[in-house]
Amino acid sequence: MSTISIRAAVYLRVSLDRNMDGLAIDRQRDDCLKIARDRGWQVIEEYVDQSKSATDKTKKRPAYDRMVADYEAGNFEAIICWDLDRLTRQPRQLEDWIDAAKDRGLKLVTANGEADLTTDGGRMYARVKAAVAVGEVERKAVRQSRAQLQRAQQGRAPKGTRPLGYATSGEVIAHEAQVVAEMFRLFAISNGTPIAAIASALSGKAGAEAPRSIPHLPKFSRTLMIERNERRMAEGLDPKPVPPDGPWTSSTVLGILRNPRYAGYSVYTNRSDRSDKNKRRNWYAQIIRDEDGQPIRGQWDPLVDELTWLTVQERLNDQTRITNRTGSTARKHLGSSLYLCGICDRPITAHSRGYRCSEGGHVTRSRPHIDEFVLQLIRERLARPDLQDVLPVRDEPRLLAIQAEIRERQGRIKRAQHDYDEEITEAHDFRRIRDRQNAAIADLEAERLRLSVGNDLGGVLGASEPVKAFDDADLAVKRRVIDFFCTVRLLPAPRGRKGFDPSTVAVAPK
């Protein structure tokens, strides 16, 4: 085969093009095309991966993958790249190209000179260069990780993309911080606002489940890009395209609720732990601790208190929520799982336009009249002059003590489970410990609910016009107010009698 007939591919790559202006790629292209002209080779196609790492084997390089497929199809016989590490930093990938050179005569040329993979000397050179490149990357990663760990141990804000509510320096961004605090408050309270409803409110979507206390915010990726463009223009650079506004996702809200930084904890993510599938454990593992095992506090103002953050984590970890197939904990109807069956005392569920007993089908009732009847009773209770007498008082020290005791008793259950798994204790001993601790935890949870319920009611009880505040509240708040004042039981409707009979709705004050 004559030299002039050789078909060549040009591969161009830069790991990180911060300015995304393509100048680095252009410099590589000029050098590679000069090589093709000097050798008289025909460049059949250019393959460009811009801001694509060749070090991380989990990262996709679309142009590289397409080039591999085209070579396998016989589209070219030579590859020109600026340097060998532009082509690959993975020894395994390099071995594939060495096999191609040995078996099919692939020619590989770099701007630093020809890497002849058909000779033992050329292959040794390529392997050594690839190994050196990997070593340099690993040493750099160690230095960076050590610096990040040191920052975290000093309680300094991590570098990188800022979280909602904080500037990169760790300073609080007031209007965002208020939204974050409200997200935690709404999710922490008993029967709290679902993640999907919070995402809907942030997206500006109206609905019964969307809390009115959370304002619409532009999608965070859009806000970050606008801020980056402001910095670029201040440096005399052209702005990059700004993504359009769009809906917030539940996964974004979940990431905010999981983040320990909002409780003032200093955090560090060890890259070696990222393979751990237990994401719930990873969030706790991010918290940096001192030699005594105590969490290190960050040099920034927390947006939520420790108790609220821990309460949110417990609710997120709840197995009944985690195993929900739809991922939604939203209640669409006022009485769903709030009203009880008047026969078996089990929760009532909603279906179509009615309610029915979730167990034995003892009760099936039409929904609208029942809901309006219950709402009117609550309005009458809220209008009474003695409303202030029922306002609960929050005891913060006791709440913290309850939280600590719950964690301690949960730890006892885990230790008992471990001893049973290791065959140190018998099954009956494990059950005895578990049942006793669970009973104590249930009592503590009930006490915590009584102490924190004032925050559950969306400010309705303390409002200047409680009835109006109740009517203006979202569905989740209305349900909590009802649950605070009374227990509602539905009885079967009398046969043959038309219309709504209030006597079939038993409302017992709490």
Side-chain angles (χ1 to χ4, degrees), residues 331 335-342 344-350 354-359 362-365 488-491:
R331 298 296 181 186
S336 179
S337 297
L338 176 63
Y339 302 161
L340 302 177
C341 172
C344 67
D345 227 30
R346 297 296 182 89
I348 291 288
T349 58
Y355 291 120
R356 65 183 172 194
C357 173
S358 60
E359 293 296 325
H362 304 115
V363 174
T364 300
R365 302 292 306 274
V488 179
R489 292 180 173 84
L490 304 186
L491 300 170

Side-chain angles (χ1 to χ4, degrees), residues 25-89:
I25 292 292
D26 288 342
R27 290 191 293 271
Q28 292 184 26
R29 179 184 290 109
D30 291 344
D31 291 344
C32 291
L33 293 180
K34 183 178 184 302
I35 291 173
R37 289 194 300 270
D38 291 345
R39 292 173 176 265
W41 289 355
Q42 176 189 4
V43 175
I44 58 106
E45 189 163 356
E46 293 180 4
Y47 300 87
V48 181
D49 281 320
Q50 191 171 12
S51 281
K52 300 291 183 181
S53 171
T55 303
D56 190 345
K57 62 183 179 182
T58 65
K59 300 295 185 182
K60 295 293 184 181
R61 288 191 284 161
Y64 178 88
D65 294 339
R66 185 164 55 86
M67 181 178 69
V68 171
D70 288 349
Y71 177 73
E72 293 296 331
N75 292 356
F76 54 86
E77 299 89 33
I79 297 176
I80 306 173
C81 57
W82 191 76
D83 197 353
L84 188 60
D85 63 6
R86 296 302 89 194
L87 180 66
T88 181
R89 287 177 178 263

Side-chain angles (χ1 to χ4, degrees), residues 287-313:
I287 300 174
I288 289 291
R289 300 180 182 274
D290 59 23
E291 295 179 354
D292 298 325
Q294 296 302 311
I296 295 176
R297 309 299 296 187
Q299 298 178 20
W300 58 82
D301 295 331
L303 303 188
V304 299
D305 59 78
E306 180 185 14
L307 175 62
T308 299
W309 189 81
L310 290 171
T311 300
V312 166
Q313 305 319 301

Side-chain angles (χ1 to χ4, degrees), residues 114-126:
E114 184 171 3
D116 189 353
L117 300 184
T118 62
T119 68
D120 58 350
R123 291 192 292 272
M124 181 182 70
Y125 165 79

Side-chain angles (χ1 to χ4, degrees), residues 149-155 260 264-269 280-298 306 309-310 313 407:
L149 176 59
Q150 185 181 46
R151 288 182 65 89
Q153 291 171 334
Q154 295 171 349
Y265 294 123
S266 186
V267 297
Y268 169 72
T269 303
R280 297 187 298 281
R281 191 185 76 175
N282 280 353
W283 282 107
Y284 290 107
Q286 286 186 21
I287 300 174
I288 289 291
R289 300 180 182 274
D290 59 23
E291 295 179 354
D292 298 325
Q294 296 302 311
I296 295 176
R297 309 299 296 187
E306 180 185 14
W309 189 81
L310 290 171
Q313 305 319 301
R407 291 199 300 270

Side-chain angles (χ1 to χ4, degrees), residues 231-249:
R231 293 192 293 269
R232 287 177 61 83
M233 289 187 289
E235 296 171 1
L237 301 174
D238 294 332
K240 295 196 293 187
V242 177
D245 196 8
W248 287 66
T249 63

Side-chain angles (χ1 to χ4, degrees), residues 199-200 202-205 216-221 244-250 252:
S200 293
L202 289 169
S203 304
K205 296 180 180 179
H216 165 61
L217 288 182
K219 196 172 182 180
F220 196 45
S221 59
D245 196 8
W248 287 66
T249 63
S250 294
T252 301

